[in-house]
DNA sequence: CCACATTATGTTAGTTATGACATATGTTTA
DNA sequence: TAAACATATGTCATAACTAACATAATGTGG
């Protein structure tokens, strides 16, 4: 059974290492990569990314090369060191706590009996739409991945496999979320017979 | 379209108000209530609850009565004020951002191509079990609710309806999560033909 | 009888995360 | 021509959150 060892960095640090394990990137690029699809399950703003990169560098887990640019501001391109790769691998073996979720909409659902049912139903319908839109994004991401990666997206040693796994999670999550919103909307409208 | 108004308190504050809208509770009881089922989507420790209650009291959203006990330490029993109920209702109409998820296991999945597939598969199987256990808890919670609440759990004006909604979300979430873990484990073991 | 758990309420130090401020260059759009 | 946008890297004040410290009464099990 894996044991939770003393961490070499924060979880955000491992997120950055996981990105750099695939290719070299600047802080700016890492910040943008912390959107779709990884960032959909771990996110940060540049104000967190830059200091974290500095810490990772001090810890010897990443190194950077200053790239001078004439047309744009210069940038620091970071890469994973051997120590960084080892730390990332070690983290994968550590025990992981199930996520502690904080979801304001579910919290509102708990008090929804105090709200106007018609307005609440409309609100839930809007959220259903939002999550359907996210679902569509993930699904088209998976389609693109199938084009790009082919069979390698099923091979556990391939970096594409990691993207595949995250996209699958996103697809399941968004589908379930949107179904729940829709179910709740129907209950609120009193057309819940169909939903039972 | 609902607009995000200036908040009267933090989200944790609304969680506490939502609990107090149902019945009077002490800080200690609120902390424990911030487990199943509400707390499964919003949690806090007592070190956050007590100061937040003090702030809510200063803001006039809750009031308390000191209950002296001989066999146990005295306690402060908090109740919702009219202003508190109004603030809670107003919050329900505010726009809600979709939750920004932070899930370390999904983050690990992104880098899982660097791990030993056999060990990783075992890890995912353990997580599948954890989420199946949570699923069972939610399902038995729903069964108990059906006994207690009867038809009222389908009525949008009933406090039970809020519990019902949260439990439904929990059931869907945990089922989906556990399915994903299982799917990923099969992929890692190379028995993914069944999973495609 | 000692250790531990439960009830009960707080504080404090530290970490993590957010939103705004700050600066600089070049390109595109209205 | 002015404004907005993209690239690029940082800082800072505050807010939110965690883990540990602190206290105190009673009940329970070994």
């Amino acid at each position: 059974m894996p044991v939770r060892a003393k961490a070499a960095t924060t979880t955000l640090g491992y997120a950055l290492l996981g990105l750099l394990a695939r290719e070299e990137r600047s802080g700016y690029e890492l910040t943008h990569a912390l959107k779709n699809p990884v960032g959909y399950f771990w996110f940060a703003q540049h104000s967190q990314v830059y200091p974290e990169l500095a810490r990772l560098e001090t810890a010897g887990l990443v190194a950077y090369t200053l790239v001078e640019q004439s047309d744009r501001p210069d940038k620091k391109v970071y890469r994973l060191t051997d120590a960084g790769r080892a730390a990332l691998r070690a983290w994968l073996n550590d025990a992981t706590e199930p996520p502690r979720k904080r979801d304001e909409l579910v919290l509102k659902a708990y008090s929804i009996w105090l709200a106007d049912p018609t307005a609440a139903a409309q609100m839930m319908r809007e959220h259903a739409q939002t999550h359907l839109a996210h679902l569509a994004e993930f699904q088209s991401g998976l389609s693109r991945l199938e084009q790009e990666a082919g069979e390698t997206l099923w091979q556990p040693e391939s970096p594409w496999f990691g993207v595949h796994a995250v996209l699958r999670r996103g697809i399941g999550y968004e589908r379930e979320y949107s179904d729940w919103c829709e179910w709740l909307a129907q209950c609120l409208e009193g057309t819940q017979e169909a939903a039972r």
Side-chain angles (χ1 to χ4, degrees), chain A residues 13-26 29-30 33-39 61-62 77-81 84-85 88-89 91-92 145 148-149 152-153 155-167:
Chain A
Y14 291 116
L16 299 176
L17 294 180
L19 284 163
L20 294 174
R22 289 151 189 272
E23 53 175 319
E24 304 188 341
R25 285 179 175 96
S26 68
E29 288 166 330
L30 284 166
L34 278 183
K35 300 183 170 93
N36 33 275
V38 225
L61 304 182
V62 301
V77 175
Y78 286 87
R79 62 183 176 278
L80 209 56
T81 63
R85 189 170 294 260
L88 184 57
R89 279 220 172 86
W91 170 69
L92 292 174
L145 188 66
E148 268 187 81
T152 62
L153 102 170
Q155 292 162 4
E157 322 76 40
S158 162
W160 299 119
F161 181 73
V163 183
H164 186 189
V166 173
L167 284 172

Side-chain angles (χ1 to χ4, degrees), chain A residues 183 186-187 191-196:
Chain A
W183 169 84
Q186 283 181 16
C187 287
T191 54
Q192 84 280 46
E193 279 67 31
R196 289 210 196 187

Side-chain angles (χ1 to χ4, degrees), chain A residues 15-87:
Chain A
L16 299 176
L17 294 180
L19 284 163
L20 294 174
R22 289 151 189 272
E23 53 175 319
E24 304 188 341
R25 285 179 175 96
S26 68
Y28 185 81
E29 288 166 330
L30 284 166
T31 302
H32 283 262
L34 278 183
K35 300 183 170 93
N36 33 275
V38 225
Y40 214 73
F41 291 93
W42 207 276
F43 59 93
Q45 295 174 335
H46 75 274
S47 59
Q48 237 189 312
V49 170
Y50 288 114
E52 188 61 43
L53 278 171
R55 277 191 290 272
L56 289 171
E57 207 250 325
T58 306
L61 304 182
V62 301
Y64 72 86
T65 310
L66 189 72
V67 176
E68 288 179 50
Q69 300 181 116
S70 53
D71 54 334
R72 297 171 183 184
D74 300 348
K75 62 179 175 180
K76 293 176 178 176
V77 175
Y78 286 87
R79 62 183 176 278
L80 209 56
T81 63
D82 289 344
R85 189 170 294 260

Side-chain angles (χ1 to χ4, degrees), chain A residues 87-108:
Chain A
L88 184 57
R89 279 220 172 86
W91 170 69
L92 292 174
N93 292 323
D94 286 353
T96 313
E97 293 300 317
R100 310 169 91 181
K101 297 168 286 299
R102 284 198 165 105
D103 188 327
E104 202 173 353
L105 191 66
V106 183
L107 195 60
K108 284 186 181 179

Side-chain angles (χ1 to χ4, degrees), chain A residues 103-121 123-124 180 184 188:
Chain A
D103 188 327
E104 202 173 353
L105 191 66
V106 183
L107 195 60
K108 284 186 181 179
Y110 185 69
S111 294
I112 212 164
W113 56 286
L114 289 165
D116 168 56
T118 308
M123 184 182 78
M124 294 314 296
W180 176 75
L184 192 45
L188 288 161

